[in-house]
Amino acid sequence: MESLKKPVGRFAPTPSGRMHLGNVFAALMAWASVRSRGGSFVLRMEDLDTQRTAKEYADLLREDLEWLGLDWDLETPPQSQRSEVYDRYFACLAEKGLLYPCYCTRSQLHSVNAPHLSDGTYVYPGTCRNLTAAEQAAFGRDPAWRVMVPDKIWKLHDLCRGDYQQNLAAECGDFVVRRADGVYVYQLAVTVDDGEAGVTEVVRGMDLLSSAPRQMYLQELLGFSHPEYGHLPLLMAPDGRRLSKRDRDLDMGALRRRMTPEKLVGSLAYSAGLLEKQESISAAELATVFSWEKLRRDNICPENLFSGKSCFSPKI
Ligand code: GLU
């Protein structure tokens, strides 16, 4: 029976720097959610952007996860080694007649005066959808490839955010699945990787919620079932800023020098509403207190990780 199946969760970091508090939070919640129900956990390095990512960061990531007390049942091959796999799925989309080459330049795309999704995606107006073969050849360069999207509303019930919907045609437009340099884009790779690994639950930051409908569309086209989604609240600094990789005092190098794993796990769990009082707990204990009902829905300020500053202190 479907409902009795054990969940399969995953953590899919981009090894482009030392793990940051935001990644730590996503890893902990994704892990605790499936472990609390006896499910399994998959790790995957998302290193499609080989210019920005490095093996050294992937090694540090694993070490930081272990320090936190997290474990995984399987690490699937990094995306940079899977382009032949993605080729097959790309061919499958091509066979369906859903792909077309796009020659638009970055500046052309940016000048498109259309609404865009929260991730900065412009609604692609379909400029290259109906080019003739002669028009395509006249560009004389390699194109990116876009998948056509239907005028249809994609609905999901997010474990954290509740109901969410998006009409891809109106809010996103045909989107790129392979770049002009032959590199596959995140949307395709993540769909294939999660699908092949049998992931049933995708837990990650709120900033990726608007990507979920694109992934659901590709899942449908490529024959994968839809996972459940849980898009986590973002972590904020006491002055209301969103935390970023630039906050070096909150990367794992700095955090590990300042505190124990239990203090870090406990502080995040408390800020997220999973603990009633501030206390130190292990990752294993986190799995016993985790519940989607308790998890806060609004932005989270892990105050006690900032030495003495209050979440509500005015910006100086
Ligand atoms: N690789 C992405 C990141 O590090 C996460 C992608 C995902 O979880 O779907 O932000």
Side-chain angles (χ1 to χ4, degrees), residues 119-171:
D119 63 3
T121 310
Y122 291 82
V123 178
Y124 183 67
T127 318
C128 293
R129 219 193 224 229
N130 299 309
L131 295 180
T132 62
E135 285 168 329
Q136 289 171 356
F139 283 99
R141 55 184 152 86
D142 290 332
W145 288 84
R146 286 182 187 269
V147 62
M148 292 182 208
V149 301
D151 185 11
K152 166 179 168 177
I153 294 174
W154 296 87
K155 291 186 180 167
L156 65 103
H157 186 78
D158 192 88
L159 291 164
C160 201
R161 311 299 298 187
D163 290 332
Y164 178 76
Q165 65 176 50
Q166 195 189 104
N167 180 329
L168 284 175
E171 295 174 63

Side-chain angles (χ1 to χ4, degrees), residues 11-59:
F11 180 52
T14 303
S16 61
R18 192 76 192 255
M19 204 171 164
H20 186 269
L21 197 58
N23 314 123
V24 173
F25 182 56
L28 281 172
M29 297 303 121
W31 181 89
S33 174
V34 288
R35 290 298 197 220
S36 68
R37 287 167 292 143
S40 47
F41 199 59
V42 176
L43 177 65
R44 173 177 77 239
M45 295 297 163
E46 300 214 316
D47 60 350
L48 282 173
D49 185 346
T50 48
Q51 305 288 316
R52 274 199 321 127
T53 54
K55 186 185 166 295
E56 290 67 29
Y57 289 129
D59 292 341

Side-chain angles (χ1 to χ4, degrees), residues 10-15 23 44-46 79 186 190 194 202-205 207-208 215 245:
R10 48 67 140 187
F11 180 52
T14 303
N23 314 123
R44 173 177 77 239
M45 295 297 163
E46 300 214 316
Q79 292 181 328
Y186 161 71
V190 81
D194 283 342
V202 170
V203 176
R204 58 190 176 191
D207 48 337
L208 287 166
Q215 293 165 20
K245 280 196 171 154

